[in-house]
Amino acid sequence: MSRGKLREIKKRISSTKSTMQITKAMQMVASARTNKVQKQIKAVRDYANYAKKIIGKISPDPESPFVKSGDGTLIVVITPDMGLCGSFTSDISKRALEESKKCADFKGFIVIGSKGMPELKHTGNVLINRSDLYDIPSSENAQFILDDIIDIMNKESISKVKVVYGEYKNPLIQKPETADILPIKYEQDSITNTYEFEPEPEILFEEASYLYVLSQVYMFMFETKISELYARRNAMQNATENAKNLIDEFTLDYNKLRQASITTELIEIVNGAQALQQE
């Protein structure tokens, strides 16, 4: 019986070691990709900040769809296309559901990424799902998504757009966040009339507003991507450590069982020898 248990424990040790090799490899891959994306995110943030400064120099057109307030709220949910990153994806989906319940004029979701669909599709409010669009986000990807947003706004008479995404705090903390991107909110005190524009301010405003919203969508996509990679790296690191702990526990059980088996065999040998002597 003990030999059968020994074989079973050895199989479990072997399979756990194989799993640990996989999680360790995935951790290393996530770390390498994180370093690559980390170098790019500063430029993306700077671009978004510059776009915000530019739009603040132009007097807004109150009739522009980028500014005009009204009914109808669209929620854009940015999620990963890959799993194995802990609760990161489900936290974003839960935040999106919470935000939708807060909006009395909620119209639907645009879901970016395949991993956000399982928790959102049952609501019946997913208007568009875009999956496997990119590995690392690009400005072209952001423009594609923004065009989707504008198209849905026109079709569904929507004036307000929220984005739920993964905000990167530091390598250990990534959490869901919500941002209002439309209508664009202006601080009137920051707008000056000391500039001359060409073309006309109304035309320039539309173009600048589009680029501003585009920069925000691009930044949120990048924030979610780097958060995803760090979340995956942390999840795989925890899985590797858990595998090591399991191997230690299995090895201890194996040694205890093997020692007990050897002791039992020795007792049987000694008892047999004593029985022969008595004869």
Side-chain angles (χ1 to χ4, degrees):
M1 183 69 178
S2 61
R3 289 181 181 178
K5 288 184 178 179
L6 285 172
R7 284 194 296 270
E8 181 182 347
I9 294 175
K10 285 186 72 174
K11 287 181 181 178
R12 297 185 72 179
I13 291 174
S14 178
S15 64
T16 306
K17 283 182 177 179
S18 298
T19 301
M20 186 177 70
Q21 290 175 350
I22 295 171
T23 57
K24 182 66 175 178
M26 294 185 70
Q27 177 189 341
M28 294 174 66
V29 169
S31 296
R33 297 188 66 209
T34 298
N35 294 334
K36 180 180 178 181
V37 176
Q38 184 79 57
K39 296 176 182 178
Q40 302 178 48
I41 193 168
K42 184 180 183 302
V44 175
R45 287 171 174 167
D46 288 344
Y47 173 69
N49 288 332
Y50 287 136
K52 186 175 183 179
K53 289 179 181 178
I54 291 171
I55 199 70
K57 305 292 184 184
I58 310 171
S59 297
D61 177 5
E63 295 302 316
S64 169
F66 290 106
V67 176
K68 193 172 183 179
S69 297
D71 295 329
T73 298
L74 174 68
I75 299 179
V76 182
V77 190
I78 304 176
T79 67
D81 283 309
M82 294 178 60
L84 299 176
C85 45
S87 63
F88 176 70
T89 302
S90 62
D91 288 344
I92 293 176
S93 298
K94 289 176 183 176
R95 168 62 76 89
L97 289 171
E98 291 171 0
E99 292 293 338
S100 68
K101 293 175 183 177
K102 294 178 184 177
C103 301
D105 57 355
F106 171 68
K107 290 293 186 74
F109 297 108
I110 291 180
V111 182
I112 312 302
S114 60
K115 294 302 177 181
M117 281 299 291
E119 293 187 51
L120 297 176
K121 67 180 180 181
H122 74 276
T123 64
N125 292 318
V126 177
L127 303 177
I128 296 178
N129 175 223
R130 300 296 187 190
S131 303
D132 302 315
L133 280 180
Y134 54 82
D135 182 27
I136 303 299
S138 67
S139 57
E140 289 78 11
N141 301 138
Q143 184 174 359
F144 181 74
I145 292 170
L146 180 54
D147 289 345
D148 272 343
I149 293 172
I150 294 174
D151 185 50
I152 289 293
M153 289 178 66
N154 293 331
K155 288 181 179 178
E156 302 292 336
S157 299
I158 291 171
S159 62
K160 291 174 284 186
V161 179
K162 295 177 179 287
V163 178
V164 179
Y165 65 101
E167 184 182 29
Y168 170 71
K169 290 291 188 181
N170 58 54
L172 295 178
I173 301 175
Q174 307 83 37
K175 64 174 188 175
E177 191 57 78
T178 305
D180 296 319
I181 61 171
L182 288 174
I184 299 174
K185 294 180 174 61
Y186 288 85
E187 297 178 4
Q188 295 296 328
D189 294 340
S190 68
I191 300 174
T192 64
N193 295 318
T194 59
Y195 297 91
E196 292 184 0
F197 301 104
E198 186 178 343
E200 294 299 318
E202 293 79 9
I203 299 174
L204 183 61
F205 173 77
E206 290 297 314
E207 295 177 356
S209 296
Y210 181 89
L211 290 176
Y212 166 71
V213 179
L214 177 65
S215 72
Q216 297 299 302
V217 173
Y218 189 24
M219 183 177 66
F220 297 146
M221 290 165 62
F222 242 97
E223 287 274 352
T224 303
K225 187 62 183 182
I226 195 168
S227 297
E228 170 199 343
L229 291 174
Y230 271 112
R232 183 172 297 112
R233 188 196 71 171
N234 295 339
M236 292 301 99
Q237 182 178 355
N238 292 336
T240 301
E241 292 175 356
N242 289 338
K244 288 180 181 178
N245 293 334
L246 279 175
I247 291 171
D248 290 341
E249 292 178 10
F250 290 149
T251 301
L252 182 61
D253 291 340
Y254 178 84
N255 290 336
K256 285 181 178 179
L257 193 58
R258 187 166 178 269
Q259 186 177 11
S261 177
I262 292 172
T263 302
T264 301
E265 290 178 1
L266 287 174
I267 291 173
E268 290 175 353
I269 292 171
V270 171
N271 290 338
Q274 288 179 350
L276 289 173
Q277 288 177 358
Q278 290 176 359
E279 290 179 357

PDB file of all heavy atoms in Angstrom, residues 119-150:
ATOM      1  N   GLU A 119     -18.065  38.053 -18.774  1.00  0.00           N
ATOM      2  CA  GLU A 119     -18.843  38.653 -17.692  1.00  0.00           C
ATOM      3  C   GLU A 119     -19.787  39.744 -18.174  1.00  0.00           C
ATOM      4  O   GLU A 119     -20.677  40.161 -17.426  1.00  0.00           O
ATOM      5  CB  GLU A 119     -17.890  39.228 -16.626  1.00  0.00           C
ATOM      6  CG  GLU A 119     -17.095  38.158 -15.890  1.00  0.00           C
ATOM      7  CD  GLU A 119     -16.306  38.735 -14.731  1.00  0.00           C
ATOM      8  OE1 GLU A 119     -16.898  39.453 -13.908  1.00  0.00           O
ATOM      9  OE2 GLU A 119     -15.097  38.463 -14.637  1.00  0.00           O
ATOM     10  N   LEU A 120     -19.601  40.231 -19.406  1.00  0.00           N
ATOM     11  CA  LEU A 120     -20.421  41.335 -19.885  1.00  0.00           C
ATOM     12  C   LEU A 120     -21.469  40.919 -20.911  1.00  0.00           C
ATOM     13  O   LEU A 120     -22.493  41.587 -21.057  1.00  0.00           O
ATOM     14  CB  LEU A 120     -19.529  42.433 -20.480  1.00  0.00           C
ATOM     15  CG  LEU A 120     -18.556  43.113 -19.508  1.00  0.00           C
ATOM     16  CD1 LEU A 120     -17.676  44.110 -20.248  1.00  0.00           C
ATOM     17  CD2 LEU A 120     -19.311  43.813 -18.382  1.00  0.00           C
ATOM     18  N   LYS A 121     -21.208  39.818 -21.635  1.00  0.00           N
ATOM     19  CA  LYS A 121     -22.133  39.452 -22.709  1.00  0.00           C
ATOM     20  C   LYS A 121     -23.507  39.045 -22.192  1.00  0.00           C
ATOM     21  O   LYS A 121     -24.511  39.212 -22.892  1.00  0.00           O
ATOM     22  CB  LYS A 121     -21.547  38.336 -23.564  1.00  0.00           C
ATOM     23  CG  LYS A 121     -21.392  36.998 -22.871  1.00  0.00           C
ATOM     24  CD  LYS A 121     -20.803  35.962 -23.818  1.00  0.00           C
ATOM     25  CE  LYS A 121     -20.643  34.598 -23.141  1.00  0.00           C
ATOM     26  NZ  LYS A 121     -20.058  33.610 -24.071  1.00  0.00           N
ATOM     27  N   HIS A 122     -23.570  38.519 -20.954  1.00  0.00           N
ATOM     28  CA  HIS A 122     -24.868  38.082 -20.428  1.00  0.00           C
ATOM     29  C   HIS A 122     -25.800  39.253 -20.151  1.00  0.00           C
ATOM     30  O   HIS A 122     -27.013  39.058 -19.966  1.00  0.00           O
ATOM     31  CB  HIS A 122     -24.664  37.261 -19.148  1.00  0.00           C
ATOM     32  CG  HIS A 122     -24.280  38.079 -17.953  1.00  0.00           C
ATOM     33  ND1 HIS A 122     -22.968  38.446 -17.699  1.00  0.00           N
ATOM     34  CD2 HIS A 122     -25.029  38.633 -16.960  1.00  0.00           C
ATOM     35  CE1 HIS A 122     -22.939  39.165 -16.590  1.00  0.00           C
ATOM     36  NE2 HIS A 122     -24.164  39.302 -16.122  1.00  0.00           N
ATOM     37  N   THR A 123     -25.244  40.477 -20.107  1.00  0.00           N
ATOM     38  CA  THR A 123     -26.102  41.656 -19.877  1.00  0.00           C
ATOM     39  C   THR A 123     -26.941  41.974 -21.109  1.00  0.00           C
ATOM     40  O   THR A 123     -27.967  42.664 -20.997  1.00  0.00           O
ATOM     41  CB  THR A 123     -25.245  42.882 -19.535  1.00  0.00           C
ATOM     42  OG1 THR A 123     -24.414  43.227 -20.664  1.00  0.00           O
ATOM     43  CG2 THR A 123     -24.365  42.613 -18.324  1.00  0.00           C
ATOM     44  N   GLY A 124     -26.485  41.500 -22.279  1.00  0.00           N
ATOM     45  CA  GLY A 124     -27.192  41.812 -23.520  1.00  0.00           C
ATOM     46  C   GLY A 124     -26.978  43.244 -23.985  1.00  0.00           C
ATOM     47  O   GLY A 124     -27.676  43.714 -24.894  1.00  0.00           O
ATOM     48  N   ASN A 125     -26.001  43.936 -23.397  1.00  0.00           N
ATOM     49  CA  ASN A 125     -25.759  45.344 -23.718  1.00  0.00           C
ATOM     50  C   ASN A 125     -24.437  45.583 -24.434  1.00  0.00           C
ATOM     51  O   ASN A 125     -23.989  46.735 -24.513  1.00  0.00           O
ATOM     52  CB  ASN A 125     -25.783  46.188 -22.431  1.00  0.00           C
ATOM     53  CG  ASN A 125     -27.162  46.257 -21.814  1.00  0.00           C
ATOM     54  OD1 ASN A 125     -28.154  46.410 -22.521  1.00  0.00           O
ATOM     55  ND2 ASN A 125     -27.237  46.128 -20.501  1.00  0.00           N
ATOM     56  N   VAL A 126     -23.808  44.523 -24.928  1.00  0.00           N
ATOM     57  CA  VAL A 126     -22.550  44.693 -25.657  1.00  0.00           C
ATOM     58  C   VAL A 126     -22.877  45.078 -27.098  1.00  0.00           C
ATOM     59  O   VAL A 126     -23.434  44.279 -27.855  1.00  0.00           O
ATOM     60  CB  VAL A 126     -21.691  43.408 -25.617  1.00  0.00           C
ATOM     61  CG1 VAL A 126     -20.427  43.595 -26.458  1.00  0.00           C
ATOM     62  CG2 VAL A 126     -21.320  43.066 -24.180  1.00  0.00           C
ATOM     63  N   LEU A 127     -22.546  46.301 -27.469  1.00  0.00           N
ATOM     64  CA  LEU A 127     -22.847  46.794 -28.811  1.00  0.00           C
ATOM     65  C   LEU A 127     -21.789  46.370 -29.818  1.00  0.00           C
ATOM     66  O   LEU A 127     -22.100  46.059 -30.964  1.00  0.00           O
ATOM     67  CB  LEU A 127     -22.955  48.325 -28.788  1.00  0.00           C
ATOM     68  CG  LEU A 127     -23.987  48.896 -27.805  1.00  0.00           C
ATOM     69  CD1 LEU A 127     -23.951  50.411 -27.807  1.00  0.00           C
ATOM     70  CD2 LEU A 127     -25.388  48.387 -28.144  1.00  0.00           C
ATOM     71  N   ILE A 128     -20.521  46.375 -29.392  1.00  0.00           N
ATOM     72  CA  ILE A 128     -19.406  45.968 -30.249  1.00  0.00           C
ATOM     73  C   ILE A 128     -18.363  45.270 -29.379  1.00  0.00           C
ATOM     74  O   ILE A 128     -18.117  45.694 -28.247  1.00  0.00           O
ATOM     75  CB  ILE A 128     -18.738  47.175 -30.955  1.00  0.00           C
ATOM     76  CG1 ILE A 128     -19.698  47.862 -31.918  1.00  0.00           C
ATOM     77  CG2 ILE A 128     -17.490  46.744 -31.715  1.00  0.00           C
ATOM     78  CD1 ILE A 128     -19.096  49.090 -32.597  1.00  0.00           C
ATOM     79  N   ASN A 129     -17.785  44.212 -29.917  1.00  0.00           N
ATOM     80  CA  ASN A 129     -16.636  43.573 -29.271  1.00  0.00           C
ATOM     81  C   ASN A 129     -15.492  43.486 -30.278  1.00  0.00           C
ATOM     82  O   ASN A 129     -15.653  42.891 -31.341  1.00  0.00           O
ATOM     83  CB  ASN A 129     -16.998  42.185 -28.749  1.00  0.00           C
ATOM     84  CG  ASN A 129     -15.799  41.435 -28.185  1.00  0.00           C
ATOM     85  OD1 ASN A 129     -15.627  40.245 -28.431  1.00  0.00           O
ATOM     86  ND2 ASN A 129     -14.957  42.114 -27.442  1.00  0.00           N
ATOM     87  N   ARG A 130     -14.372  44.085 -29.944  1.00  0.00           N
ATOM     88  CA  ARG A 130     -13.180  44.036 -30.796  1.00  0.00           C
ATOM     89  C   ARG A 130     -12.114  43.217 -30.081  1.00  0.00           C
ATOM     90  O   ARG A 130     -11.619  43.623 -29.026  1.00  0.00           O
ATOM     91  CB  ARG A 130     -12.650  45.439 -31.086  1.00  0.00           C
ATOM     92  CG  ARG A 130     -13.647  46.355 -31.795  1.00  0.00           C
ATOM     93  CD  ARG A 130     -13.996  45.839 -33.166  1.00  0.00           C
ATOM     94  NE  ARG A 130     -14.814  46.796 -33.914  1.00  0.00           N
ATOM     95  CZ  ARG A 130     -15.414  46.516 -35.051  1.00  0.00           C
ATOM     96  NH1 ARG A 130     -15.307  45.297 -35.578  1.00  0.00           N
ATOM     97  NH2 ARG A 130     -16.131  47.425 -35.680  1.00  0.00           N
ATOM     98  N   SER A 131     -11.786  42.063 -30.652  1.00  0.00           N
ATOM     99  CA  SER A 131     -10.810  41.164 -30.038  1.00  0.00           C
ATOM    100  C   SER A 131      -9.610  40.976 -30.957  1.00  0.00           C
ATOM    101  O   SER A 131      -9.727  41.100 -32.182  1.00  0.00           O
ATOM    102  CB  SER A 131     -11.443  39.808 -29.730  1.00  0.00           C
ATOM    103  OG  SER A 131     -12.569  39.949 -28.888  1.00  0.00           O
ATOM    104  N   ASP A 132      -8.463  40.663 -30.334  1.00  0.00           N
ATOM    105  CA  ASP A 132      -7.230  40.367 -31.072  1.00  0.00           C
ATOM    106  C   ASP A 132      -6.879  41.488 -32.053  1.00  0.00           C
ATOM    107  O   ASP A 132      -6.433  41.224 -33.177  1.00  0.00           O
ATOM    108  CB  ASP A 132      -7.356  39.034 -31.821  1.00  0.00           C
ATOM    109  CG  ASP A 132      -7.653  37.878 -30.870  1.00  0.00           C
ATOM    110  OD1 ASP A 132      -6.993  37.802 -29.824  1.00  0.00           O
ATOM    111  OD2 ASP A 132      -8.542  37.070 -31.175  1.00  0.00           O
ATOM    112  N   LEU A 133      -7.053  42.723 -31.628  1.00  0.00           N
ATOM    113  CA  LEU A 133      -6.715  43.857 -32.481  1.00  0.00           C
ATOM    114  C   LEU A 133      -5.213  44.128 -32.497  1.00  0.00           C
ATOM    115  O   LEU A 133      -4.664  44.565 -33.497  1.00  0.00           O
ATOM    116  CB  LEU A 133      -7.430  45.120 -31.988  1.00  0.00           C
ATOM    117  CG  LEU A 133      -8.891  45.308 -32.363  1.00  0.00           C
ATOM    118  CD1 LEU A 133      -9.403  46.616 -31.776  1.00  0.00           C
ATOM    119  CD2 LEU A 133      -9.083  45.284 -33.870  1.00  0.00           C
ATOM    120  N   TYR A 134      -4.570  43.888 -31.375  1.00  0.00           N
ATOM    121  CA  TYR A 134      -3.160  44.265 -31.259  1.00  0.00           C
ATOM    122  C   TYR A 134      -2.478  43.421 -30.193  1.00  0.00           C
ATOM    123  O   TYR A 134      -3.112  42.817 -29.332  1.00  0.00           O
ATOM    124  CB  TYR A 134      -3.040  45.747 -30.883  1.00  0.00           C
ATOM    125  CG  TYR A 134      -3.828  46.124 -29.638  1.00  0.00           C
ATOM    126  CD1 TYR A 134      -3.328  45.913 -28.358  1.00  0.00           C
ATOM    127  CD2 TYR A 134      -5.098  46.690 -29.745  1.00  0.00           C
ATOM    128  CE1 TYR A 134      -4.044  46.244 -27.234  1.00  0.00           C
ATOM    129  CE2 TYR A 134      -5.834  47.027 -28.628  1.00  0.00           C
ATOM    130  CZ  TYR A 134      -5.293  46.814 -27.366  1.00  0.00           C
ATOM    131  OH  TYR A 134      -6.025  47.139 -26.241  1.00  0.00           O
ATOM    132  N   ASP A 135      -1.158  43.384 -30.309  1.00  0.00           N
ATOM    133  CA  ASP A 135      -0.328  42.852 -29.237  1.00  0.00           C
ATOM    134  C   ASP A 135       0.136  44.020 -28.376  1.00  0.00           C
ATOM    135  O   ASP A 135      -0.131  44.079 -27.190  1.00  0.00           O
ATOM    136  CB  ASP A 135       0.861  42.088 -29.817  1.00  0.00           C
ATOM    137  CG  ASP A 135       1.733  41.478 -28.743  1.00  0.00           C
ATOM    138  OD1 ASP A 135       1.204  41.183 -27.651  1.00  0.00           O
ATOM    139  OD2 ASP A 135       2.944  41.296 -28.971  1.00  0.00           O
ATOM    140  N   ILE A 136       0.822  44.976 -29.012  1.00  0.00           N
ATOM    141  CA  ILE A 136       1.151  46.242 -28.377  1.00  0.00           C
ATOM    142  C   ILE A 136       0.310  47.316 -29.063  1.00  0.00           C
ATOM    143  O   ILE A 136       0.312  47.417 -30.289  1.00  0.00           O
ATOM    144  CB  ILE A 136       2.652  46.577 -28.527  1.00  0.00           C
ATOM    145  CG1 ILE A 136       3.508  45.450 -27.947  1.00  0.00           C
ATOM    146  CG2 ILE A 136       2.963  47.912 -27.827  1.00  0.00           C
ATOM    147  CD1 ILE A 136       3.297  45.195 -26.470  1.00  0.00           C
ATOM    148  N   PRO A 137      -0.431  48.147 -28.320  1.00  0.00           N
ATOM    149  CA  PRO A 137      -1.313  49.134 -28.945  1.00  0.00           C
ATOM    150  C   PRO A 137      -0.548  50.116 -29.829  1.00  0.00           C
ATOM    151  O   PRO A 137       0.593  50.480 -29.552  1.00  0.00           O
ATOM    152  CB  PRO A 137      -1.937  49.859 -27.742  1.00  0.00           C
ATOM    153  CG  PRO A 137      -1.751  48.952 -26.590  1.00  0.00           C
ATOM    154  CD  PRO A 137      -0.504  48.184 -26.843  1.00  0.00           C
ATOM    155  N   SER A 138      -1.209  50.547 -30.893  1.00  0.00           N
ATOM    156  CA  SER A 138      -0.656  51.567 -31.777  1.00  0.00           C
ATOM    157  C   SER A 138      -1.685  52.675 -31.941  1.00  0.00           C
ATOM    158  O   SER A 138      -2.860  52.511 -31.589  1.00  0.00           O
ATOM    159  CB  SER A 138      -0.306  50.973 -33.146  1.00  0.00           C
ATOM    160  OG  SER A 138      -1.484  50.586 -33.835  1.00  0.00           O
ATOM    161  N   SER A 139      -1.250  53.809 -32.490  1.00  0.00           N
ATOM    162  CA  SER A 139      -2.181  54.914 -32.709  1.00  0.00           C
ATOM    163  C   SER A 139      -3.258  54.529 -33.723  1.00  0.00           C
ATOM    164  O   SER A 139      -4.401  54.996 -33.640  1.00  0.00           O
ATOM    165  CB  SER A 139      -1.420  56.153 -33.191  1.00  0.00           C
ATOM    166  OG  SER A 139      -0.698  55.862 -34.378  1.00  0.00           O
ATOM    167  N   GLU A 140      -2.905  53.630 -34.677  1.00  0.00           N
ATOM    168  CA  GLU A 140      -3.894  53.158 -35.646  1.00  0.00           C
ATOM    169  C   GLU A 140      -4.991  52.344 -34.953  1.00  0.00           C
ATOM    170  O   GLU A 140      -6.175  52.462 -35.295  1.00  0.00           O
ATOM    171  CB  GLU A 140      -3.230  52.323 -36.738  1.00  0.00           C
ATOM    172  CG  GLU A 140      -2.366  53.101 -37.711  1.00  0.00           C
ATOM    173  CD  GLU A 140      -0.995  53.450 -37.142  1.00  0.00           C
ATOM    174  OE1 GLU A 140      -0.635  52.897 -36.064  1.00  0.00           O
ATOM    175  OE2 GLU A 140      -0.299  54.262 -37.750  1.00  0.00           O
ATOM    176  N   ASN A 141      -4.600  51.533 -33.967  1.00  0.00           N
ATOM    177  CA  ASN A 141      -5.587  50.776 -33.202  1.00  0.00           C
ATOM    178  C   ASN A 141      -6.520  51.716 -32.441  1.00  0.00           C
ATOM    179  O   ASN A 141      -7.737  51.512 -32.403  1.00  0.00           O
ATOM    180  CB  ASN A 141      -4.902  49.844 -32.202  1.00  0.00           C
ATOM    181  CG  ASN A 141      -3.963  48.845 -32.849  1.00  0.00           C
ATOM    182  OD1 ASN A 141      -2.872  48.596 -32.339  1.00  0.00           O
ATOM    183  ND2 ASN A 141      -4.369  48.261 -33.971  1.00  0.00           N
ATOM    184  N   ALA A 142      -5.929  52.739 -31.837  1.00  0.00           N
ATOM    185  CA  ALA A 142      -6.727  53.711 -31.086  1.00  0.00           C
ATOM    186  C   ALA A 142      -7.696  54.452 -32.004  1.00  0.00           C
ATOM    187  O   ALA A 142      -8.853  54.702 -31.646  1.00  0.00           O
ATOM    188  CB  ALA A 142      -5.808  54.698 -30.374  1.00  0.00           C
ATOM    189  N   GLN A 143      -7.242  54.786 -33.203  1.00  0.00           N
ATOM    190  CA  GLN A 143      -8.113  55.475 -34.161  1.00  0.00           C
ATOM    191  C   GLN A 143      -9.265  54.575 -34.592  1.00  0.00           C
ATOM    192  O   GLN A 143     -10.412  55.032 -34.720  1.00  0.00           O
ATOM    193  CB  GLN A 143      -7.301  55.902 -35.389  1.00  0.00           C
ATOM    194  CG  GLN A 143      -8.109  56.712 -36.384  1.00  0.00           C
ATOM    195  CD  GLN A 143      -7.256  57.249 -37.523  1.00  0.00           C
ATOM    196  OE1 GLN A 143      -6.055  57.028 -37.564  1.00  0.00           O
ATOM    197  NE2 GLN A 143      -7.872  57.950 -38.452  1.00  0.00           N
ATOM    198  N   PHE A 144      -8.998  53.290 -34.795  1.00  0.00           N
ATOM    199  CA  PHE A 144     -10.041  52.330 -35.161  1.00  0.00           C
ATOM    200  C   PHE A 144     -11.115  52.273 -34.077  1.00  0.00           C
ATOM    201  O   PHE A 144     -12.318  52.282 -34.357  1.00  0.00           O
ATOM    202  CB  PHE A 144      -9.402  50.963 -35.383  1.00  0.00           C
ATOM    203  CG  PHE A 144     -10.365  49.893 -35.794  1.00  0.00           C
ATOM    204  CD1 PHE A 144     -10.894  49.868 -37.074  1.00  0.00           C
ATOM    205  CD2 PHE A 144     -10.751  48.904 -34.899  1.00  0.00           C
ATOM    206  CE1 PHE A 144     -11.790  48.871 -37.456  1.00  0.00           C
ATOM    207  CE2 PHE A 144     -11.640  47.914 -35.266  1.00  0.00           C
ATOM    208  CZ  PHE A 144     -12.158  47.892 -36.552  1.00  0.00           C
ATOM    209  N   ILE A 145     -10.677  52.239 -32.820  1.00  0.00           N
ATOM    210  CA  ILE A 145     -11.628  52.171 -31.705  1.00  0.00           C
ATOM    211  C   ILE A 145     -12.404  53.482 -31.575  1.00  0.00           C
ATOM    212  O   ILE A 145     -13.624  53.475 -31.346  1.00  0.00           O
ATOM    213  CB  ILE A 145     -10.871  51.850 -30.394  1.00  0.00           C
ATOM    214  CG1 ILE A 145     -10.311  50.424 -30.457  1.00  0.00           C
ATOM    215  CG2 ILE A 145     -11.795  52.000 -29.191  1.00  0.00           C
ATOM    216  CD1 ILE A 145      -9.367  50.082 -29.339  1.00  0.00           C
ATOM    217  N   LEU A 146     -11.715  54.605 -31.720  1.00  0.00           N
ATOM    218  CA  LEU A 146     -12.396  55.894 -31.624  1.00  0.00           C
ATOM    219  C   LEU A 146     -13.436  56.051 -32.724  1.00  0.00           C
ATOM    220  O   LEU A 146     -14.537  56.593 -32.487  1.00  0.00           O
ATOM    221  CB  LEU A 146     -11.383  57.035 -31.688  1.00  0.00           C
ATOM    222  CG  LEU A 146     -11.962  58.451 -31.607  1.00  0.00           C
ATOM    223  CD1 LEU A 146     -12.845  58.620 -30.376  1.00  0.00           C
ATOM    224  CD2 LEU A 146     -10.850  59.481 -31.612  1.00  0.00           C
ATOM    225  N   ASP A 147     -13.140  55.583 -33.916  1.00  0.00           N
ATOM    226  CA  ASP A 147     -14.123  55.637 -35.001  1.00  0.00           C
ATOM    227  C   ASP A 147     -15.350  54.790 -34.664  1.00  0.00           C
ATOM    228  O   ASP A 147     -16.484  55.149 -34.994  1.00  0.00           O
ATOM    229  CB  ASP A 147     -13.494  55.176 -36.315  1.00  0.00           C
ATOM    230  CG  ASP A 147     -12.487  56.183 -36.860  1.00  0.00           C
ATOM    231  OD1 ASP A 147     -12.491  57.339 -36.385  1.00  0.00           O
ATOM    232  OD2 ASP A 147     -11.692  55.815 -37.750  1.00  0.00           O
ATOM    233  N   ASP A 148     -15.116  53.648 -34.011  1.00  0.00           N
ATOM    234  CA  ASP A 148     -16.240  52.830 -33.526  1.00  0.00           C
ATOM    235  C   ASP A 148     -17.093  53.623 -32.535  1.00  0.00           C
ATOM    236  O   ASP A 148     -18.328  53.592 -32.573  1.00  0.00           O
ATOM    237  CB  ASP A 148     -15.718  51.564 -32.840  1.00  0.00           C
ATOM    238  CG  ASP A 148     -15.498  50.414 -33.815  1.00  0.00           C
ATOM    239  OD1 ASP A 148     -16.038  50.473 -34.931  1.00  0.00           O
ATOM    240  OD2 ASP A 148     -14.781  49.461 -33.460  1.00  0.00           O
ATOM    241  N   ILE A 149     -16.421  54.305 -31.631  1.00  0.00           N
ATOM    242  CA  ILE A 149     -17.127  55.090 -30.607  1.00  0.00           C
ATOM    243  C   ILE A 149     -17.991  56.162 -31.253  1.00  0.00           C
ATOM    244  O   ILE A 149     -19.185  56.316 -30.925  1.00  0.00           O
ATOM    245  CB  ILE A 149     -16.110  55.726 -29.632  1.00  0.00           C
ATOM    246  CG1 ILE A 149     -15.402  54.633 -28.813  1.00  0.00           C
ATOM    247  CG2 ILE A 149     -16.813  56.719 -28.705  1.00  0.00           C
ATOM    248  CD1 ILE A 149     -14.251  55.149 -27.964  1.00  0.00           C
ATOM    249  N   ILE A 150     -17.421  56.907 -32.183  1.00  0.00           N
ATOM    250  CA  ILE A 150     -18.162  57.988 -32.840  1.00  0.00           C
ATOM    251  C   ILE A 150     -19.330  57.437 -33.646  1.00  0.00           C
ATOM    252  O   ILE A 150     -20.434  58.003 -33.652  1.00  0.00           O
ATOM    253  CB  ILE A 150     -17.213  58.802 -33.732  1.00  0.00           C
ATOM    254  CG1 ILE A 150     -16.185  59.534 -32.867  1.00  0.00           C
ATOM    255  CG2 ILE A 150     -17.988  59.801 -34.588  1.00  0.00           C
ATOM    256  CD1 ILE A 150     -15.100  60.250 -33.646  1.00  0.00           C
TER     257      ILE A 150
END
